[in-house]
Amino acid sequence: MHKKILFTAIFLIFNLIIIELGLRLFNYIHPTSIFHREDYNQYRGKPNSDSYGYKLNSKGFKDVEYNKKKGEGAYRIVGIGDSFTFGVPPYPYNFLTLLEDTLNTVSSLPPVELINMGISSTGPPQYLSLITDEALDLEPDMVLLSFFVGNDIRESSRHSLKRRVYTYSYLTSALYYLYKASTGLSQNNMFTSYGEGSAYCDTCHAFKSSQYLDIETERSYIFQKNNPECQRNTEDALIYMKQIKSLCDRAGTKLVVTLVPDEMQINQALRQQIMTNAKISADKWDNLQPNRWVTRELIMEGIPVIDLFPAFASFPSDTALYKPNDSHWNIRGNQLAAHELAKSIPDLIEQE
């Protein structure tokens, strides 16, 4: 009896090892986003893949191919950020694509090259690495960094950077991915192709209403007045931003930060649901607390800040700017962001 149990245990362990090795080999041949990596490439787009009918470039960015050396007389801007920068809508509707087109109609400006280097599911620690490893090699005149208020503060916290135990095994990582996929908690394609072979839908829901409410509720701590966790996480985020500023200064590159508002800051009905769900009273809610803290510190560092909140908050409430139950801008939201940035960027370029 004992021998049978021992044999079964050895057989099980042997098979688990084979599966583990098989998954590692599979990931080596076909890298996917479901296994842990210590760099910003985990969720990088699949090079040359289709994204809603438009091809990602050979670097996996949602942009056309670009030369490492900028054109003679051109002004080069590199866009850095997370999934807002990478963009959910197809390439022509991305706010950076639209911004580049607009800037190139301004007669007082030199030709503008705007390179989109957005990578989904990244935050300030990864922005720093990407700028260090790749962006500054392109000798940009400006780094336009989109800071998403909703999660870039949390993504900078020391706690969020700790590696989770299950990620040390490829098998448990795969099981966790399957669990998230089966419950609808993950929208990531395992090969990070972002819409390959699909038609884009601007009004389709990414999550069920209850799931999206839970996601937004978890983020809402940053709007609780004088929340110590928000203060600590904001300080962590600003450490990375200051390091990015120092790198850009040494390279002779202007750093400009765009603050991207979370939908709960704009959508009053959603905000009320979140406050009820999180049991936060109105007198404990500060809708602009993170914007105010981040803006104050960045300006003190000499970093120009373009806060998109006022434009989004003043837009007619009957026009959706975010995809339903998604947190990302829809096509109209991207258009508004490009329009607002086009008001400020020319002056920042002409100051050079």
Side-chain angles (χ1 to χ4, degrees), residues 124-161:
Q126 292 76 35
Y127 303 159
L128 173 63
S129 298
L130 178 59
I131 290 170
T132 303
D133 296 348
E134 298 185 46
L136 292 181
D137 285 346
L138 300 175
E139 300 182 352
D141 299 286
M142 177 189 294
V143 167
L144 180 60
L145 191 154
S146 297
F147 187 100
F148 176 41
V149 172
N151 65 16
D152 273 354
I153 291 175
R154 178 182 287 275
E155 293 297 324
S156 303
S157 71
R158 294 180 178 88
H159 173 74
S160 72
L161 296 175

Short mmCIF file of all heavy atoms in Angstrom, two decimals, residues 124-161:
data_model
loop_
_atom_site.label_atom_id
_atom_site.label_comp_id
_atom_site.label_asym_id
_atom_site.label_seq_id
_atom_site.Cartn_x
_atom_site.Cartn_y
_atom_site.Cartn_z
N PRO A 124 5.00 53.81 -13.63
CA PRO A 124 6.22 54.61 -13.53
C PRO A 124 7.53 53.82 -13.42
O PRO A 124 8.52 54.23 -14.05
CB PRO A 124 5.97 55.46 -12.28
CG PRO A 124 4.49 55.71 -12.34
CD PRO A 124 3.90 54.39 -12.81
N PRO A 125 7.59 52.70 -12.68
CA PRO A 125 8.86 51.95 -12.67
C PRO A 125 9.25 51.47 -14.08
O PRO A 125 10.43 51.51 -14.45
CB PRO A 125 8.57 50.76 -11.74
CG PRO A 125 7.46 51.23 -10.87
CD PRO A 125 6.61 52.09 -11.75
N GLN A 126 8.26 51.00 -14.85
CA GLN A 126 8.53 50.53 -16.20
C GLN A 126 8.77 51.69 -17.17
O GLN A 126 9.56 51.57 -18.10
CB GLN A 126 7.37 49.66 -16.71
CG GLN A 126 7.21 48.33 -15.99
CD GLN A 126 6.57 48.46 -14.63
OE1 GLN A 126 5.70 49.31 -14.42
NE2 GLN A 126 6.98 47.62 -13.67
N TYR A 127 8.10 52.84 -16.93
CA TYR A 127 8.37 54.01 -17.78
C TYR A 127 9.84 54.40 -17.66
O TYR A 127 10.48 54.72 -18.67
CB TYR A 127 7.51 55.22 -17.34
CG TYR A 127 6.02 54.99 -17.32
CD1 TYR A 127 5.19 55.81 -16.55
CD2 TYR A 127 5.41 53.99 -18.06
CE1 TYR A 127 3.82 55.65 -16.53
CE2 TYR A 127 4.04 53.81 -18.04
CZ TYR A 127 3.25 54.64 -17.26
OH TYR A 127 1.89 54.45 -17.23
N LEU A 128 10.34 54.37 -16.45
CA LEU A 128 11.75 54.71 -16.22
C LEU A 128 12.67 53.77 -17.00
O LEU A 128 13.61 54.21 -17.67
CB LEU A 128 12.07 54.65 -14.72
CG LEU A 128 13.54 54.82 -14.33
CD1 LEU A 128 14.05 56.20 -14.73
CD2 LEU A 128 13.71 54.61 -12.82
N SER A 129 12.37 52.47 -16.93
CA SER A 129 13.22 51.48 -17.63
C SER A 129 13.13 51.65 -19.14
O SER A 129 14.15 51.59 -19.85
CB SER A 129 12.79 50.06 -17.25
OG SER A 129 12.97 49.83 -15.87
N LEU A 130 11.93 51.87 -19.65
CA LEU A 130 11.74 52.02 -21.09
C LEU A 130 12.45 53.26 -21.62
O LEU A 130 13.09 53.23 -22.68
CB LEU A 130 10.24 52.09 -21.41
CG LEU A 130 9.86 52.29 -22.89
CD1 LEU A 130 10.40 51.16 -23.75
CD2 LEU A 130 8.34 52.40 -23.04
N ILE A 131 12.36 54.35 -20.87
CA ILE A 131 13.04 55.57 -21.27
C ILE A 131 14.55 55.37 -21.26
O ILE A 131 15.27 55.80 -22.17
CB ILE A 131 12.62 56.74 -20.35
CG1 ILE A 131 11.16 57.11 -20.64
CG2 ILE A 131 13.52 57.94 -20.54
CD1 ILE A 131 10.56 58.07 -19.63
N THR A 132 15.04 54.68 -20.22
CA THR A 132 16.48 54.41 -20.11
C THR A 132 16.97 53.51 -21.22
O THR A 132 18.01 53.78 -21.85
CB THR A 132 16.79 53.76 -18.75
OG1 THR A 132 16.34 54.60 -17.70
CG2 THR A 132 18.28 53.51 -18.59
N ASP A 133 16.25 52.43 -21.49
CA ASP A 133 16.72 51.39 -22.42
C ASP A 133 16.49 51.72 -23.89
O ASP A 133 17.28 51.32 -24.75
CB ASP A 133 16.04 50.05 -22.10
CG ASP A 133 16.40 49.52 -20.73
OD1 ASP A 133 17.34 50.06 -20.11
OD2 ASP A 133 15.73 48.58 -20.26
N GLU A 134 15.37 52.42 -24.19
CA GLU A 134 15.00 52.57 -25.60
C GLU A 134 14.68 54.00 -26.02
O GLU A 134 15.13 54.45 -27.08
CB GLU A 134 13.80 51.67 -25.93
CG GLU A 134 14.07 50.19 -25.75
CD GLU A 134 12.91 49.33 -26.22
OE1 GLU A 134 12.37 49.58 -27.32
OE2 GLU A 134 12.52 48.40 -25.48
N ALA A 135 13.90 54.71 -25.23
CA ALA A 135 13.37 55.99 -25.70
C ALA A 135 14.46 57.03 -25.94
O ALA A 135 14.47 57.70 -26.98
CB ALA A 135 12.34 56.53 -24.70
N LEU A 136 15.39 57.17 -24.99
CA LEU A 136 16.41 58.20 -25.14
C LEU A 136 17.40 57.89 -26.25
O LEU A 136 18.07 58.80 -26.76
CB LEU A 136 17.13 58.44 -23.81
CG LEU A 136 16.27 59.08 -22.71
CD1 LEU A 136 17.09 59.28 -21.45
CD2 LEU A 136 15.68 60.41 -23.18
N ASP A 137 17.50 56.62 -26.65
CA ASP A 137 18.35 56.26 -27.78
C ASP A 137 17.85 56.88 -29.08
O ASP A 137 18.60 57.01 -30.05
CB ASP A 137 18.42 54.74 -27.95
CG ASP A 137 19.30 54.08 -26.90
OD1 ASP A 137 20.06 54.81 -26.22
OD2 ASP A 137 19.23 52.85 -26.76
N LEU A 138 16.57 57.26 -29.11
CA LEU A 138 15.98 57.87 -30.31
C LEU A 138 16.22 59.38 -30.36
O LEU A 138 15.76 60.06 -31.28
CB LEU A 138 14.47 57.60 -30.35
CG LEU A 138 14.08 56.11 -30.37
CD1 LEU A 138 12.56 55.97 -30.29
CD2 LEU A 138 14.60 55.44 -31.63
N GLU A 139 16.93 59.90 -29.35
CA GLU A 139 17.28 61.32 -29.27
C GLU A 139 16.05 62.23 -29.43
O GLU A 139 16.01 63.13 -30.26
CB GLU A 139 18.35 61.68 -30.31
CG GLU A 139 19.64 60.90 -30.13
CD GLU A 139 20.72 61.28 -31.13
OE1 GLU A 139 20.41 62.05 -32.07
OE2 GLU A 139 21.86 60.83 -30.96
N PRO A 140 15.03 62.00 -28.60
CA PRO A 140 13.82 62.83 -28.71
C PRO A 140 14.07 64.23 -28.17
O PRO A 140 14.89 64.44 -27.27
CB PRO A 140 12.81 62.08 -27.84
CG PRO A 140 13.66 61.39 -26.81
CD PRO A 140 14.93 60.99 -27.52
N ASP A 141 13.34 65.17 -28.70
CA ASP A 141 13.37 66.53 -28.16
C ASP A 141 12.44 66.64 -26.96
O ASP A 141 12.64 67.49 -26.10
CB ASP A 141 12.94 67.52 -29.25
CG ASP A 141 13.87 67.50 -30.45
OD1 ASP A 141 14.99 68.01 -30.34
OD2 ASP A 141 13.47 66.92 -31.49
N MET A 142 11.42 65.77 -26.95
CA MET A 142 10.46 65.78 -25.85
C MET A 142 10.00 64.36 -25.53
O MET A 142 9.81 63.55 -26.44
CB MET A 142 9.23 66.63 -26.21
CG MET A 142 8.12 66.66 -25.15
SD MET A 142 6.58 67.47 -25.73
CE MET A 142 7.15 69.16 -25.93
N VAL A 143 9.85 64.07 -24.24
CA VAL A 143 9.17 62.86 -23.79
C VAL A 143 7.82 63.30 -23.25
O VAL A 143 7.74 64.11 -22.31
CB VAL A 143 9.97 62.11 -22.70
CG1 VAL A 143 9.10 61.07 -22.02
CG2 VAL A 143 11.21 61.45 -23.30
N LEU A 144 6.75 62.82 -23.87
CA LEU A 144 5.39 63.13 -23.44
C LEU A 144 4.88 61.92 -22.67
O LEU A 144 4.51 60.91 -23.26
CB LEU A 144 4.50 63.43 -24.64
CG LEU A 144 3.04 63.77 -24.37
CD1 LEU A 144 2.91 65.01 -23.49
CD2 LEU A 144 2.28 63.98 -25.68
N LEU A 145 4.88 62.02 -21.35
CA LEU A 145 4.54 60.88 -20.49
C LEU A 145 3.11 61.02 -19.99
O LEU A 145 2.76 62.02 -19.36
CB LEU A 145 5.52 60.81 -19.32
CG LEU A 145 5.50 59.54 -18.47
CD1 LEU A 145 6.86 59.32 -17.81
CD2 LEU A 145 4.43 59.61 -17.38
N SER A 146 2.30 60.04 -20.28
CA SER A 146 0.90 60.03 -19.82
C SER A 146 0.81 59.29 -18.49
O SER A 146 1.09 58.10 -18.42
CB SER A 146 -0.01 59.36 -20.86
OG SER A 146 0.00 60.09 -22.07
N PHE A 147 0.43 60.00 -17.45
CA PHE A 147 0.33 59.46 -16.09
C PHE A 147 -1.15 59.24 -15.79
O PHE A 147 -1.92 60.19 -15.64
CB PHE A 147 0.94 60.46 -15.11
CG PHE A 147 1.06 59.97 -13.70
CD1 PHE A 147 2.26 59.49 -13.20
CD2 PHE A 147 -0.04 60.00 -12.84
CE1 PHE A 147 2.38 59.05 -11.89
CE2 PHE A 147 0.06 59.56 -11.53
CZ PHE A 147 1.27 59.08 -11.06
N PHE A 148 -1.54 57.96 -15.73
CA PHE A 148 -2.93 57.62 -15.47
C PHE A 148 -3.20 57.67 -13.97
O PHE A 148 -2.67 56.85 -13.21
CB PHE A 148 -3.25 56.23 -16.03
CG PHE A 148 -4.65 55.75 -15.74
CD1 PHE A 148 -5.74 56.60 -15.82
CD2 PHE A 148 -4.89 54.42 -15.38
CE1 PHE A 148 -7.03 56.17 -15.54
CE2 PHE A 148 -6.17 53.98 -15.11
CZ PHE A 148 -7.25 54.85 -15.19
N VAL A 149 -4.01 58.63 -13.56
CA VAL A 149 -4.30 58.82 -12.15
C VAL A 149 -4.87 57.54 -11.52
O VAL A 149 -4.55 57.21 -10.38
CB VAL A 149 -5.29 60.00 -11.97
CG1 VAL A 149 -5.77 60.09 -10.53
CG2 VAL A 149 -4.63 61.30 -12.40
N GLY A 150 -5.67 56.80 -12.30
CA GLY A 150 -6.36 55.63 -11.77
C GLY A 150 -5.47 54.57 -11.17
O GLY A 150 -5.79 54.01 -10.11
N ASN A 151 -4.35 54.25 -11.82
CA ASN A 151 -3.51 53.18 -11.25
C ASN A 151 -2.00 53.42 -11.28
O ASN A 151 -1.25 52.59 -10.77
CB ASN A 151 -3.82 51.82 -11.89
CG ASN A 151 -3.48 51.76 -13.37
OD1 ASN A 151 -2.75 52.59 -13.89
ND2 ASN A 151 -4.02 50.77 -14.06
N ASP A 152 -1.52 54.52 -11.87
CA ASP A 152 -0.08 54.74 -11.87
C ASP A 152 0.46 55.03 -10.48
O ASP A 152 1.64 54.80 -10.22
CB ASP A 152 0.29 55.88 -12.83
CG ASP A 152 0.51 55.38 -14.25
OD1 ASP A 152 0.48 54.14 -14.45
OD2 ASP A 152 0.71 56.20 -15.17
N ILE A 153 -0.39 55.54 -9.60
CA ILE A 153 0.03 55.74 -8.21
C ILE A 153 0.18 54.39 -7.52
O ILE A 153 1.20 54.11 -6.89
CB ILE A 153 -0.97 56.65 -7.48
CG1 ILE A 153 -0.88 58.07 -8.03
CG2 ILE A 153 -0.73 56.63 -5.97
CD1 ILE A 153 -1.91 59.03 -7.47
N ARG A 154 -0.84 53.54 -7.66
CA ARG A 154 -0.76 52.20 -7.04
C ARG A 154 0.37 51.37 -7.64
O ARG A 154 1.07 50.64 -6.93
CB ARG A 154 -2.09 51.47 -7.18
CG ARG A 154 -2.08 50.05 -6.61
CD ARG A 154 -3.40 49.34 -6.82
NE ARG A 154 -4.43 49.87 -5.95
CZ ARG A 154 -4.62 49.46 -4.70
NH1 ARG A 154 -3.83 48.54 -4.17
NH2 ARG A 154 -5.59 49.95 -3.97
N GLU A 155 0.55 51.46 -8.97
CA GLU A 155 1.58 50.65 -9.64
C GLU A 155 2.99 51.03 -9.20
O GLU A 155 3.94 50.30 -9.47
CB GLU A 155 1.47 50.82 -11.15
CG GLU A 155 0.21 50.24 -11.77
CD GLU A 155 0.10 48.74 -11.60
OE1 GLU A 155 1.12 48.06 -11.66
OE2 GLU A 155 -1.03 48.25 -11.40
N SER A 156 3.14 52.17 -8.54
CA SER A 156 4.45 52.61 -8.07
C SER A 156 4.74 52.18 -6.64
O SER A 156 5.86 52.33 -6.16
CB SER A 156 4.55 54.14 -8.14
OG SER A 156 4.30 54.60 -9.44
N SER A 157 3.72 51.65 -5.94
CA SER A 157 3.90 51.31 -4.54
C SER A 157 4.87 50.15 -4.37
O SER A 157 4.97 49.27 -5.21
CB SER A 157 2.55 50.94 -3.90
OG SER A 157 2.10 49.69 -4.38
N ARG A 158 5.58 50.18 -3.29
CA ARG A 158 6.55 49.11 -3.02
C ARG A 158 5.87 47.76 -2.91
O ARG A 158 6.40 46.74 -3.31
CB ARG A 158 7.31 49.43 -1.73
CG ARG A 158 8.19 50.67 -1.82
CD ARG A 158 8.93 50.94 -0.52
NE ARG A 158 9.80 52.10 -0.62
CZ ARG A 158 9.42 53.34 -0.37
NH1 ARG A 158 8.17 53.58 0.00
NH2 ARG A 158 10.26 54.34 -0.48
N HIS A 159 4.63 47.77 -2.39
CA HIS A 159 3.88 46.52 -2.24
C HIS A 159 3.57 45.91 -3.61
O HIS A 159 3.72 44.71 -3.81
CB HIS A 159 2.59 46.76 -1.47
CG HIS A 159 1.69 45.55 -1.41
ND1 HIS A 159 1.97 44.46 -0.61
CD2 HIS A 159 0.54 45.26 -2.08
CE1 HIS A 159 1.03 43.55 -0.78
NE2 HIS A 159 0.15 44.01 -1.66
N SER A 160 3.15 46.75 -4.55
CA SER A 160 2.76 46.23 -5.87
C SER A 160 3.95 45.68 -6.63
O SER A 160 3.79 44.87 -7.54
CB SER A 160 2.08 47.33 -6.70
OG SER A 160 3.03 48.29 -7.12
N LEU A 161 5.16 46.12 -6.27
CA LEU A 161 6.36 45.66 -6.97
C LEU A 161 6.89 44.35 -6.43
O LEU A 161 7.79 43.74 -7.02
CB LEU A 161 7.46 46.74 -6.89
CG LEU A 161 7.13 48.06 -7.59
CD1 LEU A 161 8.23 49.07 -7.35
CD2 LEU A 161 6.92 47.85 -9.08
#
